[in-house]
Amino acid sequence: MSKIGFIGLGIMGRPMAGHLLDAGHELATVKRDKLLASELADKGMQELADPRAVAEASEVIITMVPDTPDVEQVLFGEGGVIKGLKPGTLVIDMSSIAPLATQEFAQRIEAAGGEYVDAPVSGGEGGAINAALTIMVGATEEGFERANPLLELMGKTITHIGGHGAGQTCKVANQIVVALTIEAVAEGLLFASKAGADVAKVRESLLGGLAQSKILDVHGQRMIDRTFDPGFKIKLHQKDLNLALEGARSLDLALPGTANAQQLFQACAAHDGADWDHAGMVRALEALANHEIE
């Protein structure tokens, strides 16, 4: 069993850490102002002063934080992981951040004697709770082999995409597809509703045809039920689409659908919806149509 430092106990990080504890690993995290979730405290998770202390006590570090600057702060800031990094420590970043920054972080960790793996995830809160996440890995062959037994405790589909940064590139592509599919599902259900059809039956029928998708299944139902508690917050999907659009500019690549989806998310944020589940994009389309799905 490994001594693991897990930093980032949010909506998804908390159940992910729980799976590692259930498998018998020893976990430590950074002490925060609020109490550690009881399900983790009861399983023996320790709280230490800062990321440096977590690194000093750990053989593996896992980060699951919101954005690129957060990962940089945890790893390299004052009291950061790198200050307490022991030779051979495996650092697995499961956040969704910029691919180019990831390559730089990997170089810095490896120069300090560690092994770096980028392993962003898809599957939302449900995937985290059920240990059914899709995990996209950027690493050396050795890094992937070391990380994989731990990743298998949190995910169902684990793919070694390529070298450092490749996992993050795959995650950006994933977020493009997810955003555009949410928009497609929202437009389809909105059309059906305004035309007077039974939206629940329309969704049921579409799930049996070529339009079938996990997003139509899960988020289509959210749109019908009007349940927009996150899941995955709009503001985090906005962050991911910013990465996509910034990357597209550097590649001289046009992503018009992605840009449009970002504008719809921005419309939601302008109506105090930054913390809605990303299925809440439908509300921006409903406002344009002056019609709510029913």
Side-chain angles (χ1 to χ4, degrees):
M1 295 295 103
S2 298
K3 294 182 178 180
I4 300 172
F6 199 111
I7 302 173
L9 300 175
I11 289 174
M12 295 178 65
R14 189 166 59 250
M16 291 164 67
H19 296 313
L20 296 171
L21 286 165
D22 289 340
H25 296 288
E26 298 179 29
L27 262 67
T29 192
V30 176
K31 186 173 180 60
R32 300 184 295 172
D33 293 336
K34 61 182 181 180
L35 291 175
L36 183 66
S38 59
E39 68 267 24
L40 300 180
D42 292 346
K43 293 175 182 178
M45 192 170 204
Q46 293 183 294
E47 292 182 288
L48 300 176
D50 55 22
R52 175 178 182 166
V54 171
E56 289 172 344
S58 303
E59 303 160 325
V60 179
I61 300 292
I62 297 175
T63 52
M64 185 62 177
V65 295
D67 203 350
T68 307
D70 302 301
V71 175
E72 185 172 23
Q73 180 63 29
V74 166
L75 295 181
F76 308 113
E78 185 177 354
V81 163
I82 202 165
K83 304 289 179 60
L85 194 74
K86 295 178 292 190
T89 298
L90 179 63
V91 178
I92 307 173
D93 177 38
M94 304 189 76
S95 319
S96 296
I97 67 169
L100 289 177
T102 292
Q103 293 173 4
E104 178 194 340
F105 296 166
Q107 290 172 1
R108 294 173 70 179
I109 290 295
E110 293 191 341
E115 179 80 48
Y116 193 91
V117 173
D118 53 287
V121 306
S122 179
E125 183 181 13
I129 291 170
N130 295 315
L133 293 167
T134 293
I135 305 177
M136 312 154 210
V137 185
T140 63
E141 290 290 344
E142 180 184 353
F144 178 69
E145 289 176 8
R146 290 183 62 191
N148 196 47
L150 298 177
L151 301 179
E152 287 179 337
L153 297 173
M154 298 176 280
K156 184 177 180 181
T157 302
I158 301 161
T159 306
H160 185 193
I161 306 297
H164 297 129
Q168 296 294 353
T169 296
C170 184
K171 178 58 187 291
V172 171
N174 178 84
Q175 295 303 80
I176 292 170
V177 173
V178 170
L180 270 64
T181 308
I182 290 174
E183 181 180 356
V185 168
E187 289 190 10
L189 296 184
L190 182 60
F191 171 81
S193 177
K194 193 152 190 181
D198 184 323
V199 180
K201 290 184 178 179
V202 169
R203 172 183 164 276
E204 180 182 351
S205 179
L206 294 178
L207 284 170
L210 191 59
Q212 191 278 335
S213 71
K214 184 70 173 288
I215 289 170
L216 176 61
D217 184 11
V218 175
H219 291 321
Q221 191 64 54
R222 279 180 178 269
M223 294 171 194
I224 293 169
D225 292 342
R226 321 305 296 168
T227 54
F228 298 118
D229 294 336
F232 187 76
K233 294 179 180 180
I234 280 175
K235 65 183 178 184
L236 294 178
H237 209 145
Q238 286 184 285
K239 176 262 298 182
D240 293 338
L241 294 192
N242 280 339
L243 295 176
L245 294 169
E246 289 166 5
R249 279 193 293 273
S250 69
L251 295 168
D252 291 327
L253 177 66
L255 298 177
T258 303
N260 188 60
Q262 182 73 306
Q263 288 300 304
L264 291 169
F265 280 142
Q266 184 57 38
C268 292
H271 287 83
D272 299 321
D275 289 326
W276 296 342
D277 185 85
H278 52 174
M281 179 197 282
V282 69
R283 288 178 160 173
L285 292 164
E286 288 172 336
L288 291 171
N290 194 27
H291 178 84
E292 185 174 296
I293 289 175
E294 56 184 9

